Each structure stands twice: as structure tokens, then as C-alpha cells.
Coordinates of all heavy atoms in Angstrom, one line a residue:
A21 N 42.2 22.5 12.5 CA 43.1 22.8 11.4 C 43.4 21.4 10.8 O 43.8 20.5 11.6 CB 44.3 23.6 11.9
V22 N 43.5 21.4 9.5 CA 43.7 20.0 8.8 C 44.9 20.3 7.9 O 44.9 21.2 7.1 CB 42.5 19.4 8.1 CG1 42.9 18.2 7.4 CG2 41.4 19.2 9.1
E23 N 45.9 19.4 7.9 CA 47.0 19.4 7.0 C 47.1 18.0 6.4 O 47.2 17.1 7.2 CB 48.2 19.9 7.7 CG 49.4 20.0 7.0 CD 49.3 20.7 5.6 OE1 49.1 21.9 5.7 OE2 49.4 20.1 4.5
G24 N 47.3 17.9 5.1 CA 47.4 16.6 4.5 C 48.8 16.2 4.2 O 49.2 15.0 4.1
V25 N 49.8 17.1 4.3 CA 51.2 16.8 4.0 C 51.8 16.6 5.3 O 51.8 17.4 6.2 CB 51.9 17.9 3.2 CG1 53.3 17.6 3.0 CG2 51.2 18.3 2.0
E26 N 52.3 15.3 5.6 CA 52.8 14.9 6.9 C 53.9 15.9 7.4 O 53.7 16.2 8.6 CB 53.3 13.4 6.8 CG 53.6 12.9 8.2 CD 53.9 11.5 8.3 OE1 53.4 10.8 7.3 OE2 54.5 11.0 9.2
A27 N 54.9 16.2 6.6 CA 55.9 17.1 7.1 C 55.3 18.4 7.5 O 55.9 19.0 8.6 CB 57.0 17.3 5.9
L28 N 54.4 18.9 6.8 CA 53.9 20.3 7.2 C 52.9 20.1 8.4 O 52.7 21.0 9.1 CB 53.1 20.8 6.0 CG 53.9 21.2 4.8 CD1 53.0 21.8 3.7 CD2 55.0 22.4 5.2
C29 N 52.3 18.8 8.6 CA 51.5 18.7 9.7 C 52.3 18.8 11.0 O 51.8 19.2 12.0 CB 50.8 17.2 9.6 SG 49.5 17.1 10.8
K30 N 53.5 18.3 10.9 CA 54.4 18.3 12.1 C 54.7 19.9 12.5 O 54.7 20.2 13.6 CB 55.7 17.6 11.9 CG 55.5 16.1 11.9 CD 56.8 15.5 11.5 CE 56.5 13.9 11.4 NZ 57.8 13.1 10.9
V31 N 54.8 20.6 11.5 CA 55.0 22.0 11.6 C 53.7 22.7 12.2 O 53.8 23.5 13.1 CB 55.5 22.7 10.4 CG1 55.5 24.3 10.5 CG2 56.7 22.2 9.9
L32 N 52.6 22.4 11.7 CA 51.3 22.9 12.1 C 51.1 22.5 13.6 O 50.8 23.3 14.5 CB 50.2 22.3 11.3 CG 48.8 22.7 11.7 CD1 48.5 24.2 11.4 CD2 47.7 22.0 11.0
N33 N 51.4 21.2 13.9 CA 51.3 20.8 15.4 C 52.1 21.5 16.3 O 51.7 22.1 17.3 CB 51.5 19.3 15.5 CG 50.5 18.5 15.0 OD1 49.3 18.8 14.9 ND2 50.7 17.2 14.5
A34 N 53.4 21.8 16.0 CA 54.3 22.6 16.7 C 53.9 24.0 16.8 O 54.0 24.5 17.9 CB 55.7 22.5 16.1
T35 N 53.4 24.6 15.8 CA 53.0 26.0 15.7 C 51.7 26.2 16.6 O 51.7 27.2 17.4 CB 52.7 26.5 14.4 OG1 53.8 26.2 13.6 CG2 52.3 27.9 14.3
L36 N 50.8 25.3 16.7 CA 49.6 25.4 17.4 C 49.5 24.7 18.7 O 48.5 24.7 19.4 CB 48.4 24.9 16.5 CG 48.2 25.7 15.2 CD1 47.1 25.1 14.3 CD2 47.9 27.2 15.4
A37 N 50.6 24.1 19.1 CA 50.6 23.4 20.4 C 50.2 24.0 21.6 O 49.5 23.5 22.4 CB 52.1 22.8 20.5
K38 N 50.5 25.4 21.7 CA 50.1 26.2 22.9 C 48.8 26.9 22.7 O 48.5 27.7 23.5 CB 51.2 27.1 23.3 CG 52.4 26.3 23.6 CD 53.6 27.3 24.0 CE 54.8 26.5 24.5 NZ 56.0 27.4 24.9
T39 N 47.9 26.5 21.7 CA 46.7 27.1 21.4 C 45.6 26.1 21.7 O 45.8 24.9 21.9 CB 46.7 27.7 20.0 OG1 46.4 26.6 19.1 CG2 47.8 28.4 19.6
A40 N 44.4 26.6 21.6 CA 43.2 25.7 21.7 C 42.7 25.1 20.4 O 41.8 24.3 20.3 CB 42.0 26.5 22.1
V41 N 43.6 25.4 19.3 CA 43.2 24.8 17.9 C 43.6 23.3 18.0 O 44.8 23.0 18.3 CB 43.9 25.6 16.9 CG1 43.7 25.0 15.5 CG2 43.5 27.0 16.9
K42 N 42.7 22.6 17.6 CA 43.0 21.1 17.4 C 43.4 20.9 16.0 O 43.1 21.5 15.1 CB 41.7 20.2 17.7 CG 41.3 20.4 19.1 CD 40.1 19.5 19.4 CE 39.7 19.5 20.8 NZ 38.6 18.7 21.1
T43 N 44.4 20.0 15.9 CA 45.0 19.7 14.4 C 44.6 18.2 14.1 O 44.5 17.4 14.9 CB 46.5 19.9 14.4 OG1 47.1 19.0 15.3 CG2 46.8 21.3 14.6
E44 N 44.6 18.0 12.8 CA 44.4 16.6 12.2 C 45.3 16.5 11.0 O 45.6 17.5 10.3 CB 42.9 16.5 11.8 CG 41.8 16.6 12.9 CD 41.7 15.3 13.6 OE1 42.4 14.3 13.3 OE2 40.9 15.3 14.6
C45 N 45.8 15.4 10.7 CA 46.7 15.1 9.6 C 46.1 14.0 8.7 O 45.9 13.1 9.0 CB 48.0 14.7 10.2 SG 48.8 15.8 11.3
G46 N 45.9 14.4 7.5 CA 45.6 13.6 6.4 C 44.1 13.2 6.5 O 43.6 12.7 7.6
V47 N 43.4 13.3 5.3 CA 41.9 13.0 5.3 C 41.6 11.5 5.6 O 40.8 11.2 6.3 CB 41.3 13.5 4.1 CG1 41.7 12.8 2.8 CG2 39.8 13.5 4.2
G48 N 42.5 10.6 5.0 CA 42.3 9.2 5.3 C 42.5 8.9 6.8 O 41.6 8.1 7.4
E49 N 43.4 9.4 7.5 CA 43.5 9.2 8.8 C 42.4 9.8 9.7 O 42.1 9.3 10.7 CB 44.9 9.9 9.4 CG 46.1 9.2 8.8 CD 46.5 9.4 7.3 OE1 46.0 10.4 6.8 OE2 47.2 8.6 6.8
I50 N 41.9 11.0 9.3 CA 40.8 11.6 9.9 C 39.6 10.6 9.8 O 38.9 10.3 10.8 CB 40.4 12.9 9.3 CG1 41.5 13.9 9.7 CG2 39.1 13.4 9.8 CD1 41.5 15.2 8.9
F51 N 39.3 10.1 8.6 CA 38.2 9.1 8.5 C 38.4 7.9 9.3 O 37.4 7.4 10.0 CB 38.2 8.7 7.0 CG 37.4 9.7 6.1 CD1 37.4 11.1 6.4 CD2 36.7 9.2 5.0 CE1 36.7 11.9 5.6 CE2 36.1 10.2 4.1 CZ 36.0 11.5 4.4
V52 N 39.6 7.3 9.4 CA 39.9 6.2 10.2 C 39.6 6.5 11.7 O 38.9 5.8 12.4 CB 41.3 5.6 10.0 CG1 41.7 4.6 11.0 CG2 41.3 5.0 8.6
K53 N 40.2 7.6 12.1 CA 40.0 8.0 13.5 C 38.6 8.1 13.9 O 38.2 7.9 15.1 CB 40.8 9.4 13.7 CG 40.7 9.9 15.1 CD 41.4 11.2 15.2 CE 41.2 11.8 16.6 NZ 42.0 13.1 16.7
H54 N 37.7 8.6 13.1 CA 36.3 8.7 13.4 C 35.4 7.5 12.8 O 34.1 7.8 12.7 CB 35.8 10.1 12.7 CG 36.5 11.3 13.4 ND1 36.1 11.7 14.7 CD2 37.5 12.0 13.1 CE1 36.9 12.7 15.0 NE2 37.7 13.0 14.0
D55 N 36.0 6.5 12.7 CA 35.4 5.1 12.4 C 34.4 5.2 11.1 O 33.4 4.7 11.1 CB 34.5 4.7 13.6 CG 35.4 4.4 14.7 OD1 36.5 3.8 14.5 OD2 35.1 4.6 15.9
V56 N 34.9 6.0 10.0 CA 34.1 6.0 8.9 C 34.3 4.7 8.1 O 35.4 4.2 8.0 CB 34.7 7.2 7.9 CG1 34.1 7.1 6.6 CG2 34.4 8.6 8.5
P57 N 33.1 4.1 7.8 CA 33.3 2.8 7.2 C 34.0 2.9 5.8 O 33.9 3.9 5.1 CB 32.0 2.3 7.0 CG 31.2 3.4 7.2 CD 31.8 4.4 7.9
T58 N 34.7 1.8 5.3 CA 35.3 1.9 4.0 C 34.4 2.1 2.9 O 34.7 2.8 2.0 CB 36.1 0.5 3.8 OG1 36.9 0.3 4.9 CG2 36.9 0.6 2.5
E59 N 33.2 1.5 3.0 CA 32.2 1.8 1.9 C 31.0 2.5 2.7 O 30.5 2.1 3.7 CB 31.7 0.4 1.4 CG 32.7 -0.2 0.5 CD 32.3 -1.6 0.0 OE1 31.2 -1.9 0.1 OE2 33.2 -2.3 -0.6
F60 N 30.7 3.7 2.1 CA 29.5 4.4 2.7 C 28.8 5.0 1.5 O 29.2 4.9 0.4 CB 30.0 5.5 3.6 CG 31.0 6.5 3.1 CD1 30.7 7.7 2.6 CD2 32.4 6.2 3.1 CE1 31.6 8.5 2.1 CE2 33.4 7.0 2.6 CZ 33.0 8.2 2.1
D61 N 27.6 5.5 1.8 CA 26.7 6.0 0.8 C 26.9 7.4 0.1 O 26.8 7.5 -1.1 CB 25.2 6.1 1.4 CG 24.7 4.7 1.7 OD1 25.1 3.7 1.0 OD2 23.8 4.5 2.6
F62 N 27.3 8.4 0.9 CA 27.3 9.7 0.3 C 28.5 10.5 0.8 O 28.7 10.6 2.1 CB 26.0 10.4 0.7 CG 25.9 11.7 0.0 CD1 25.4 11.8 -1.3 CD2 26.0 12.9 0.7 CE1 25.2 13.0 -2.1 CE2 25.9 14.2 0.0 CZ 25.4 14.2 -1.3
L63 N 29.2 11.2 -0.1 CA 30.4 12.0 0.2 C 30.1 13.4 -0.4 O 29.8 13.5 -1.6 CB 31.6 11.5 -0.2 CG 32.8 12.5 0.0 CD1 33.2 12.7 1.4 CD2 34.1 11.9 -0.8
K64 N 29.9 14.5 0.4 CA 29.9 15.8 -0.3 C 31.2 16.6 0.2 O 31.6 16.6 1.3 CB 28.7 16.6 0.5 CG 28.6 18.0 -0.2 CD 27.4 18.8 0.4 CE 27.2 20.1 -0.3 NZ 28.2 21.0 -0.6
L65 N 31.7 17.0 -1.0 CA 33.2 17.6 -0.9 C 33.0 19.1 -1.4 O 32.6 19.3 -2.5 CB 34.1 16.8 -1.6 CG 35.6 17.1 -1.4 CD1 35.8 16.8 0.0 CD2 36.3 16.2 -2.3
D66 N 33.3 20.1 -0.5 CA 33.2 21.5 -0.8 C 34.2 22.2 -0.2 O 34.1 22.8 1.1 CB 31.8 22.0 -0.5 CG 31.7 23.4 -1.0 OD1 32.5 24.0 -1.6 OD2 30.5 24.0 -0.9
I67 N 35.4 22.3 -0.7 CA 36.6 23.0 -0.2 C 36.9 24.4 -0.6 O 37.4 25.2 -0.2 CB 37.9 22.1 -0.1 CG1 37.5 20.7 0.5 CG2 39.0 22.8 0.5 CD1 38.5 19.7 0.4
D68 N 36.4 24.6 -1.9 CA 36.7 25.8 -2.7 C 38.2 26.0 -3.0 O 38.8 27.0 -3.0 CB 36.2 27.1 -2.0 CG 34.7 27.0 -2.0 OD1 34.1 26.5 -2.7 OD2 34.1 27.6 -0.9
S69 N 38.8 24.8 -3.2 CA 40.3 25.0 -3.8 C 40.8 23.6 -4.4 O 40.7 23.3 -5.4 CB 41.2 25.5 -2.7 OG 41.2 24.7 -1.6
I70 N 41.2 22.9 -3.3 CA 41.9 21.5 -3.8 C 41.0 20.4 -3.7 O 41.3 19.3 -3.1 CB 43.2 21.3 -3.0 CG1 43.0 21.2 -1.6 CG2 44.3 22.4 -3.4 CD1 44.2 20.8 -0.7
D71 N 39.8 20.5 -4.1 CA 38.8 19.4 -3.9 C 39.2 18.1 -4.6 O 39.2 17.0 -4.0 CB 37.4 19.8 -4.6 CG 36.8 21.0 -4.0 OD1 37.4 22.0 -4.1 OD2 35.7 20.8 -3.4
C72 N 39.9 18.2 -5.8 CA 40.3 17.0 -6.5 C 41.5 16.2 -5.8 O 41.3 15.0 -5.7 CB 40.7 17.2 -7.9 SG 39.2 17.7 -8.9
P73 N 42.4 16.9 -5.4 CA 43.5 16.1 -4.6 C 42.9 15.5 -3.3 O 43.3 14.3 -2.9 CB 44.5 17.1 -4.4 CG 44.4 18.2 -5.4 CD 42.9 18.1 -5.6
V74 N 42.0 16.1 -2.6 CA 41.4 15.6 -1.3 C 40.6 14.3 -1.8 O 40.7 13.4 -1.1 CB 40.6 16.7 -0.7 CG1 39.8 16.0 0.4 CG2 41.4 17.6 -0.2
L75 N 39.7 14.5 -2.9 CA 39.0 13.4 -3.3 C 39.9 12.1 -3.7 O 39.6 11.0 -3.3 CB 38.1 13.8 -4.5 CG 37.2 12.6 -4.9 CD1 36.3 12.1 -4.0 CD2 36.6 13.0 -6.3
E76 N 41.0 12.4 -4.3 CA 42.0 11.3 -4.6 C 42.4 10.6 -3.4 O 42.6 9.4 -3.3 CB 43.1 11.9 -5.5 CG 42.8 12.3 -6.9 CD 43.8 12.9 -7.7 OE1 44.9 13.3 -7.1 OE2 43.7 13.0 -8.9
A77 N 42.7 11.4 -2.4 CA 43.2 10.8 -1.1 C 42.2 10.1 -0.5 O 42.5 8.9 0.1 CB 43.7 12.0 -0.1
I78 N 41.0 10.4 -0.6 CA 39.9 9.7 0.1 C 39.7 8.4 -0.7 O 39.5 7.4 -0.1 CB 38.6 10.5 0.1 CG1 38.7 11.7 1.1 CG2 37.3 9.7 0.4 CD1 37.5 12.7 0.9
L79 N 39.7 8.4 -1.9 CA 39.4 7.3 -2.9 C 40.4 6.2 -2.8 O 40.3 5.0 -3.2 CB 39.1 7.6 -4.3 CG 37.9 8.4 -4.4 CD1 37.7 8.8 -5.9 CD2 36.7 7.7 -4.0
K80 N 41.6 6.5 -2.2 CA 42.8 5.5 -1.9 C 42.3 4.5 -1.1 O 42.7 3.4 -1.0 CB 44.0 6.1 -1.5 CG 44.7 6.9 -2.7 CD 46.0 7.6 -2.1 CE 46.7 8.3 -3.3 NZ 47.9 9.0 -2.7
R81 N 41.4 4.9 0.0 CA 41.0 3.9 1.0 C 39.5 3.7 1.2 O 39.1 2.8 1.9 CB 41.6 4.5 2.4 CG 43.1 4.5 2.4 CD 43.6 5.0 3.6 NE 43.5 4.5 4.8 CZ 44.0 4.9 5.9 NH1 44.7 5.9 6.0 NH2 43.8 4.2 7.0
F82 N 38.8 4.7 0.6 CA 37.3 4.6 0.8 C 36.6 4.6 -0.4 O 37.0 5.0 -1.5 CB 36.8 5.9 1.7 CG 37.5 5.8 3.0 CD1 38.7 6.4 3.3 CD2 36.9 5.2 4.1 CE1 39.3 6.5 4.5 CE2 37.5 5.1 5.3 CZ 38.8 5.8 5.6
R83 N 35.3 4.0 -0.4 CA 34.5 3.9 -1.6 C 33.0 4.4 -1.4 O 32.2 3.6 -1.0 CB 34.4 2.5 -2.1 CG 35.7 2.0 -2.7 CD 36.0 2.6 -4.0 NE 37.2 2.1 -4.6 CZ 38.2 2.9 -4.7 NH1 38.3 4.2 -4.3 NH2 39.4 2.5 -5.3
P84 N 32.8 5.8 -1.5 CA 31.6 6.2 -1.4 C 30.6 5.9 -2.6 O 31.2 5.7 -3.7 CB 31.6 7.8 -1.4 CG 33.0 8.0 -1.9 CD 33.8 6.8 -1.8
V85 N 29.3 5.6 -2.4 CA 28.5 5.2 -3.6 C 28.2 6.4 -4.4 O 28.3 6.5 -5.6 CB 27.2 4.5 -3.1 CG1 26.2 4.4 -4.3 CG2 27.4 3.3 -2.3
Y86 N 28.0 7.6 -3.8 CA 27.7 8.9 -4.5 C 28.6 9.9 -4.0 O 29.0 10.0 -2.8 CB 26.2 9.4 -4.2 CG 25.2 8.5 -4.8 CD1 24.5 7.5 -4.0 CD2 24.9 8.5 -6.1 CE1 23.6 6.7 -4.4 CE2 23.9 7.5 -6.6 CZ 23.3 6.6 -5.7 OH 22.5 5.8 -6.2
I87 N 29.1 10.7 -5.0 CA 30.0 11.7 -4.6 C 29.3 13.1 -5.1 O 28.9 13.2 -6.3 CB 31.3 11.7 -5.2 CG1 32.0 10.4 -4.7 CG2 32.2 12.9 -4.9 CD1 33.3 10.0 -5.3
H88 N 29.3 14.2 -4.3 CA 28.6 15.4 -4.7 C 29.8 16.5 -4.6 O 30.4 16.8 -3.5 CB 27.5 15.8 -3.8 CG 26.9 17.1 -4.1 ND1 26.8 18.1 -3.1 CD2 26.4 17.6 -5.2 CE1 26.2 19.3 -3.7 NE2 26.0 19.0 -4.9
M89 N 30.1 17.1 -5.7 CA 31.2 18.0 -5.8 C 30.7 19.2 -6.7 O 29.8 19.1 -7.5 CB 32.4 17.5 -6.3 CG 33.1 16.4 -5.5 SD 34.6 15.8 -6.2 CE 35.8 17.1 -6.2
E90 N 31.4 20.4 -6.4 CA 31.1 21.6 -7.2 C 31.7 21.5 -8.6 O 32.6 20.7 -8.8 CB 31.7 22.7 -6.5 CG 31.0 23.2 -5.3 CD 31.6 24.5 -4.8 OE1 32.8 24.5 -4.4 OE2 31.0 25.4 -4.5
V91 N 31.0 22.1 -9.5 CA 31.5 22.3 -10.9 C 31.7 23.9 -11.2 O 31.0 24.7 -10.8 CB 30.5 21.7 -12.0 CG1 30.9 22.1 -13.3 CG2 30.2 20.3 -11.6
N92 N 32.9 24.2 -11.8 CA 33.1 25.5 -12.2 C 32.5 25.7 -13.6 O 33.1 25.3 -14.5 CB 34.5 25.8 -12.1 CG 35.0 27.2 -12.3 OD1 34.1 28.0 -12.9 ND2 36.2 27.6 -11.9
F93 N 31.5 26.4 -13.6 CA 30.8 26.7 -14.9 C 31.7 27.6 -15.8 O 31.3 27.8 -17.0 CB 29.4 27.2 -14.7 CG 28.5 26.2 -14.2 CD1 28.1 26.2 -12.8 CD2 28.1 25.1 -14.9 CE1 27.3 25.3 -12.3 CE2 27.2 24.2 -14.4 CZ 26.9 24.2 -13.0
D94 N 32.6 28.4 -15.2 CA 33.5 29.1 -16.1 C 34.4 28.4 -16.9 O 35.1 29.0 -17.8 CB 34.2 30.2 -15.2 CG 33.2 31.2 -14.5 OD1 32.1 31.5 -15.2 OD2 33.6 31.6 -13.4
V95 N 34.6 27.2 -16.6 CA 35.4 26.3 -17.4 C 34.7 25.3 -18.1 O 34.3 24.2 -17.5 CB 36.5 25.6 -16.5 CG1 37.5 24.8 -17.3 CG2 37.2 26.7 -15.5
P96 N 34.3 25.5 -19.3 CA 33.4 24.6 -20.1 C 33.9 23.4 -20.6 O 35.2 23.4 -20.8 CB 32.9 25.5 -21.3 CG 34.0 26.4 -21.5 CD 34.7 26.7 -20.1
P97 N 33.3 22.3 -20.7 CA 33.9 21.0 -21.3 C 34.3 21.5 -22.8 O 33.7 22.3 -23.3 CB 32.6 20.1 -21.3 CG 31.7 20.6 -20.4 CD 32.0 22.1 -20.2
P98 N 35.2 20.8 -23.4 CA 36.0 19.6 -22.9 C 37.3 20.1 -22.0 O 38.1 19.1 -21.8 CB 36.4 19.0 -24.2 CG 36.7 20.2 -25.1 CD 35.6 21.3 -24.8
I99 N 37.4 21.3 -21.6 CA 38.5 21.6 -20.8 C 38.4 21.1 -19.4 O 37.3 21.0 -18.8 CB 38.6 23.3 -20.8 CG1 38.8 23.9 -22.0 CG2 39.7 23.7 -19.8 CD1 38.6 25.4 -22.0
S100 N 39.5 20.5 -19.0 CA 39.4 19.8 -17.6 C 40.8 20.2 -16.9 O 41.9 20.0 -17.5 CB 39.4 18.3 -17.9 OG 39.5 17.5 -16.7
F101 N 40.6 20.5 -15.6 CA 41.8 20.7 -14.9 C 41.4 20.7 -13.4 O 40.2 20.9 -13.1 CB 42.5 22.1 -15.2 CG 41.8 23.3 -14.6 CD1 42.2 23.8 -13.4 CD2 40.7 23.8 -15.3 CE1 41.6 25.0 -12.8 CE2 40.1 24.9 -14.6 CZ 40.6 25.5 -13.4
S102 N 42.5 20.6 -12.5 CA 42.2 20.7 -11.1 C 43.5 21.4 -10.5 O 44.6 21.3 -11.0 CB 41.9 19.4 -10.4 OG 43.1 18.6 -10.4
L103 N 43.3 22.1 -9.3 CA 44.5 22.6 -8.7 C 45.2 21.4 -8.0 O 44.6 20.5 -7.6 CB 44.0 23.6 -7.6 CG 43.3 24.8 -8.1 CD1 42.7 25.6 -6.9 CD2 44.2 25.7 -8.9
E104 N 46.5 21.6 -8.1 CA 47.3 20.5 -7.3 C 47.8 21.1 -6.1 O 48.0 22.3 -5.8 CB 48.5 20.3 -8.4 CG 48.2 19.7 -9.7 CD 47.7 18.3 -9.4 OE1 48.1 17.5 -8.5 OE2 46.8 17.9 -10.2
N105 N 48.0 20.3 -5.2 CA 48.6 20.6 -3.9 C 50.0 20.9 -4.0 O 50.8 20.3 -4.8 CB 48.4 19.4 -2.9 CG 48.9 19.7 -1.5 OD1 48.7 21.0 -1.1 ND2 49.3 18.8 -0.8
S106 N 50.4 22.0 -3.4 CA 51.8 22.5 -3.6 C 52.4 22.8 -2.2 O 51.8 23.7 -1.5 CB 51.9 23.7 -4.4 OG 53.1 24.4 -4.3
P107 N 53.4 22.1 -1.8 CA 54.1 22.4 -0.5 C 54.6 23.8 -0.4 O 54.6 24.4 0.7 CB 55.2 21.5 -0.4 CG 54.9 20.4 -1.4 CD 54.0 21.0 -2.5
A108 N 54.7 24.5 -1.6 CA 55.2 26.0 -1.6 C 54.1 26.9 -1.1 O 54.5 28.0 -0.7 CB 55.7 26.2 -3.0
L109 N 52.9 26.4 -1.2 CA 51.8 27.4 -0.7 C 51.7 27.4 0.7 O 51.1 27.2 1.5 CB 50.5 26.9 -1.4 CG 50.4 27.0 -2.9 CD1 49.2 26.5 -3.4 CD2 50.6 28.4 -3.4

């Protein structure tokens, strides 16, 4: 289980403490923990919801040369939007 919001990560850890589910907090911290180099060649991101906020978090510390993400063909250019992370969800 992965949670990007630190306060919610503490709740997730407490909730899952007595289970076999492993938890991780924050994509940047996960990359650091697993020794992902700051600059790397390829990032494929496919979450089916908050891809853009996750990509923004990654790009704060890491620089992939190529990024592969999905496009929603139901939203034609020039319309542009992304889902925002919401602690209320």
C-alpha cells in the first residue's frame, strides 16, 4: 500500500500494522529507498487516476529522459485538466 500524504500515511501504517500488507510513504521516498538514480532513462506511469500529481512529485527530485503516460482521448485538445489529490477522498 502506498500513501503520498504523510499524515494519512501514519494512519495507513497504524491501520495495517497487524497485517501482512507492507506500506510505503511518498513516491520520492520510495525511489530513494530503492536506490533509483536521480537521472534515469525511462518512466512509465499508469495509475488510472492521479497520474499528474504523482508525476509532479517524482519530478521534484528525479529527471527521467522519457516519460510514458496515458492520454484520455475523450478530452480533446485544447482542453487540459488533471485530477488533484484530495485528503477528503
Side-chain angles (χ1 to χ4, degrees):
V22 177
E23 176 56 61
V25 179
E26 189 170 334
L28 294 178
C29 193
K30 292 176 183 177
V31 173
L32 180 67
N33 285 336
T35 303
L36 298 175
K38 295 180 180 179
T39 71
V41 177
K42 294 183 180 183
T43 59
E44 297 280 356
C45 299
V47 69
E49 289 74 19
I50 294 169
F51 278 27
V52 169
K53 179 179 177 181
H54 294 284
D55 298 320
V56 174
T58 304
E59 296 181 5
F60 56 95
D61 292 330
F62 188 79
L63 171 68
K64 182 179 189 310
L65 195 58
D66 186 358
I67 302 173
D68 294 330
S69 61
I70 57 166
D71 299 62
C72 290
V74 170
L75 179 62
E76 287 175 350
I78 291 169
L79 294 178
K80 285 180 182 177
R81 296 169 72 174
F82 299 91
R83 289 289 179 254
V85 175
Y86 297 99
I87 299 171
H88 178 234
M89 293 179 65
E90 290 180 301
V91 174
N92 185 339
F93 291 105
D94 294 331
V95 183
I99 300 170
S100 175
F101 78 96
S102 72
L103 295 174
E104 294 294 323
N105 184 27
S106 171
L109 297 177

